[in-house]
């Protein structure tokens, strides 16, 4: 074995040894990713809430983890004649960082509520279908907050204020004051009171909307007496069956890469990158400069014009006039964007005036060309040779 190779190997072994000594005893870094997954014990997971849910609601909670809300609720709907109601009664709940409910599912939840049931949604982002239906608006203070202070509106429920660790301040900026009942508040960075918990009647049922799902995470449930705030929130849920939709984005968060396990283990990930670095160093120092015969390479000929003529003749011989017109239009619009910095997404009077001022071409010629292009785009029939000749002549007037 070459002495240089032995030196490289010794250096790599030394680097590995130093790395192991540095990493030994280092605490595992905390993962602050807001997964809101019932399987995660990280700060912003729902592992604790999942294990305490039955006790918190004082009954068995039915968990929906393999179906969408639409699939589950639709399967519980009895559509027989003169019945048309749900086989189940109770409250549908969902706790998530982002909107994980599709429009079809949200409409089904509203329909479920309209039959005398309830829904409790604690989310930072609510479906637009829901906001539009209830005539409410959600706003976000995009200046990051280390924490916010939240409390219940009804002092008989609780007088205490709780500090929640969260990144952004989400709140209801507009509500239907005639029908909406405010149940909770929070403070912003400027100590301004904001609404974060409301009750909205919907036909024969009610919706309870809360903007700080962080209250149900492991971090806050284990912090001093913050679990009391979560208890105060769910205390508004009427007695009855609980249907918890806890299928967040677990499947989407799992990478399909064969290196997945290595990358989720800090030690293996460090070893992988260190190994790649070692191989790179080995290749750099082991490579030898060898003199090779430098071949004489003739410069490439510019065959662009010949190629263009060949392709053009091919299209022309095939009688594909529509394709040629499309390419002529694409070339023309690209040249207008490049040379005159004009937006060509909408060919209207404003575009005609701007192109007239920038090129100095006759306005009528520009207008005629735009009319031809728009007519061609609207045409559902193939173009004729006469159409190709007209558009080509019109384009040549503008470009030359």
């Amino acid at each position: 074995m070459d002495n240089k190779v032995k030196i490289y190997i010794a250096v790599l072994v030394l680097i590995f040894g130093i790395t192991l000594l540095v990493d030994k005893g280092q605490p595992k870094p905390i993962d602050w990713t807001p997964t809101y997954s019932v399987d995660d014990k990280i700060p912003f997971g729902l592992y604790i809430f999942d294990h305490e849910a039955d006790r918190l609601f004082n009954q068995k909670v039915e968990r929906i983890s393999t179906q969408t809300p639409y699939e589950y609720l639709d399967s519980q709907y009895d559509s027989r004649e003169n019945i048309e109601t749900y086989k189940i009664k109770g409250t549908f709940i969902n706790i998530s960082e982002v909107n994980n409910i599709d429009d079809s599912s949200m409409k089904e939840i509203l329909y479920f509520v309209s039959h005398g049931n309830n829904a409790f949604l604690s989310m930072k982002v609510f479906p637009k279908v829901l906001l539009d239906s209830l005539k409410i608006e959600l706003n976000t203070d995009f200046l990051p907050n280390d924490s916010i202070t939240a409390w219940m509106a009804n002092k008989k429920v609780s007088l205490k204020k709780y500090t929640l660790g969260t990144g952004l301040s989400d709140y209801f900026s507009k509500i239907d004051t005639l029908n909406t009942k405010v149940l909770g508040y929070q403070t912003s960075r400027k100590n301004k009171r904001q609404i974060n918990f409301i009750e909205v009647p919907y036909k024969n049922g009610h919706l309870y909307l809360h903007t700080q799902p962080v209250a149900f995470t492991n971090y806050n449930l284990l912090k001093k007496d913050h679990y009391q705030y979560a208890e105060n929130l769910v205390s508004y849920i009427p007695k009855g069956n609980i249907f918890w939709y806890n299928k967040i984005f677990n499947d989407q968060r799992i990478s399909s890469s064969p290196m997945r396990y290595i990358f989720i283990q800090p030690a293996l990930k460090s070893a992988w990158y260190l190994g790649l670095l070692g191989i790179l160093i080995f290749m750099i120092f082991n490579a030898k400069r060898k003199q090779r015969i430098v071949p004489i390479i003739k410069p490439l000929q510019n065959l662009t014009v010949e190629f263009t003529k060949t392709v053009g003749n091919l299209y022309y011989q095939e009688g594909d006039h529509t394709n040629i017109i499309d390419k002529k239009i694409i070339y023309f619009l690209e040249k207008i964007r490049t040379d005159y910095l004009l937006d060509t997404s909408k060919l209207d009077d404003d575009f005609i005036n701007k192109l007239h001022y920038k090129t100095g071409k006759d306005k009528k010629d520009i207008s005629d060309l735009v009319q031809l292009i728009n007519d061609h785009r609207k045409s559902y029939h193939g173009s004729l040779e006469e159409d190709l000749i007209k558009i080509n002549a019109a384009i040549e007037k503008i470009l030359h």
Side-chain angles (χ1 to χ4, degrees):
M1 185 181 293
D2 196 313
N3 289 333
K4 289 186 177 180
V5 175
K6 293 180 181 179
I7 294 174
Y8 301 150
I9 295 175
V11 171
L12 289 176
V13 172
L14 179 61
I15 294 174
F16 274 112
I18 295 174
T19 303
L20 291 175
L21 289 176
V22 172
D23 289 342
K24 185 178 180 181
Q26 291 290 333
K28 184 179 180 179
I30 299 175
D31 184 0
W32 293 94
T33 305
T35 63
Y36 286 80
S37 169
V38 297
D39 299 322
D40 287 341
K41 298 180 181 180
I42 59 178
F44 291 141
L46 295 180
Y47 181 83
I48 301 297
F49 181 78
D50 179 50
H51 283 68
E52 296 294 327
D54 295 343
R55 183 196 64 79
L56 186 62
F57 293 103
N58 197 27
Q59 65 173 35
K60 179 68 175 178
V61 176
E62 183 172 350
R63 292 159 172 81
I64 308 169
S65 58
T66 60
Q67 297 175 292
T68 65
Y70 174 81
E71 293 170 337
Y72 176 77
L73 294 176
D74 186 62
S75 66
Q76 301 296 328
Y77 185 71
D78 192 342
S79 59
R80 289 180 295 173
E81 188 176 357
N82 298 326
I83 297 180
E84 295 187 353
T85 187
Y86 287 88
K87 304 173 187 177
I88 57 174
K89 292 288 183 182
T91 302
F92 176 91
I93 70 171
N94 180 65
I95 302 169
S96 65
E97 170 81 2
V98 296
N99 174 25
N100 63 330
I101 302 177
D102 60 90
D103 288 347
S104 297
S105 295
M106 192 64 249
K107 292 177 182 178
E108 187 68 26
I109 293 171
L110 289 173
Y111 195 61
F112 176 69
V113 172
S114 70
H115 282 72
N117 299 292
N118 306 286
F120 177 89
L121 307 177
S122 184
M123 308 165 68
K124 282 184 175 292
V125 180
F126 291 89
K128 190 175 186 302
V129 173
L130 174 66
L131 298 177
D132 292 341
S133 300
L134 302 182
K135 298 179 181 179
I136 58 179
E137 292 183 4
L138 190 69
N139 202 353
T140 301
D141 185 357
F142 288 100
L143 295 175
N145 296 328
D146 293 332
S147 62
I148 65 165
T149 301
W151 68 95
M152 309 304 296
N154 189 345
K155 295 182 179 180
K156 293 181 180 180
V157 176
S158 176
L159 293 172
K160 189 168 183 179
K161 295 185 177 182
Y162 301 87
T163 302
L164 305 176
T166 181
L168 297 174
S169 176
D170 301 274
Y171 60 93
F172 296 106
S173 57
K174 180 182 178 181
I175 61 175
D176 184 357
T177 55
L178 295 178
N179 299 313
T180 303
K181 183 179 180 181
V182 178
L183 303 180
Y185 296 99
Q186 66 186 30
T187 55
S188 65
R189 298 178 78 254
K190 298 180 180 179
N191 292 323
K192 182 180 179 181
R193 189 176 71 171
Q194 301 168 336
I195 301 172
N196 72 349
F197 188 29
I198 58 176
E199 175 187 351
V200 186
Y202 186 78
K203 296 184 180 179
N204 296 322
H206 294 82
L207 290 111
Y208 301 87
L209 308 180
H210 181 242
T211 65
Q212 292 299 337
V214 71
F216 299 96
T217 59
N218 302 328
Y219 177 79
N220 284 287
L221 289 180
L222 296 177
K223 185 178 179 181
K224 297 181 181 179
D225 55 358
H226 283 42
Y227 67 91
Q228 295 175 356
Y229 180 63
E231 291 179 340
N232 294 335
L233 294 172
V234 300
S235 67
Y236 280 96
I237 299 177
K239 291 184 179 179
N241 297 322
I242 302 296
F243 310 99
W244 179 19
Y245 177 57
N246 60 7
K247 181 183 179 182
I248 314 298
F249 292 105
N250 297 342
D251 295 340
Q252 297 181 17
R253 292 189 299 108
I254 298 177
S255 171
S256 59
S257 170
M259 303 295 294
R260 179 179 68 247
Y261 183 76
I262 291 178
F263 288 142
I264 64 175
Q265 300 295 330
L268 292 178
K269 184 178 180 180
S270 299
W272 171 258
Y273 285 121
L274 194 59
L276 292 179
L277 178 62
I279 293 174
L280 179 62
I281 294 174
F282 178 81
M283 292 174 63
I284 293 174
F285 284 94
N286 195 50
K288 294 182 179 179
R289 185 179 181 87
K290 297 181 179 179
Q291 185 67 32
R292 297 180 178 89
I293 298 174
V294 181
I296 300 175
I297 301 176
K298 295 181 179 180
L300 296 175
Q301 297 179 1
N302 187 354
L303 301 176
T304 304
V305 176
E306 287 77 8
F307 175 78
T308 303
K309 289 181 179 179
T310 302
V311 173
N313 289 331
L314 178 62
Y315 279 118
Y316 189 80
Q317 290 173 6
E318 291 294 327
D320 193 355
H321 303 112
T322 300
N323 205 334
I324 299 177
I325 293 175
D326 290 337
K327 289 178 170 53
K328 292 286 292 184
I329 293 173
I330 292 172
Y331 167 76
F332 168 73
L333 296 180
E334 177 61 25
K335 186 167 183 63
I336 294 301
R337 288 191 295 269
T338 304
D339 293 352
Y340 303 110
L341 304 177
L342 291 179
D343 181 13
T344 62
S345 59
K346 189 175 182 182
L347 305 182
D348 53 11
D349 292 336
D350 184 53
F351 170 80
I352 293 172
N353 291 330
K354 289 181 178 178
L355 185 58
H356 168 63
Y357 293 140
K358 288 208 171 188
T359 62
K361 300 294 182 179
D362 187 82
K363 188 174 181 180
K364 185 178 183 305
D365 292 340
I366 298 174
S367 180
D368 292 340
L369 175 57
V370 169
Q371 183 64 39
L372 288 173
I373 293 175
N374 289 332
D375 290 342
H376 172 73
R377 288 176 171 177
K378 294 176 182 177
S379 176
Y380 292 97
H381 306 286
S383 299
L384 302 175
E385 182 177 355
E386 292 79 7
D387 299 328
L388 173 59
I389 294 173
K390 287 181 182 179
I391 291 183
N392 183 68
I395 291 175
E396 293 296 324
K397 282 185 180 181
I398 306 303
L399 296 184
H400 298 286

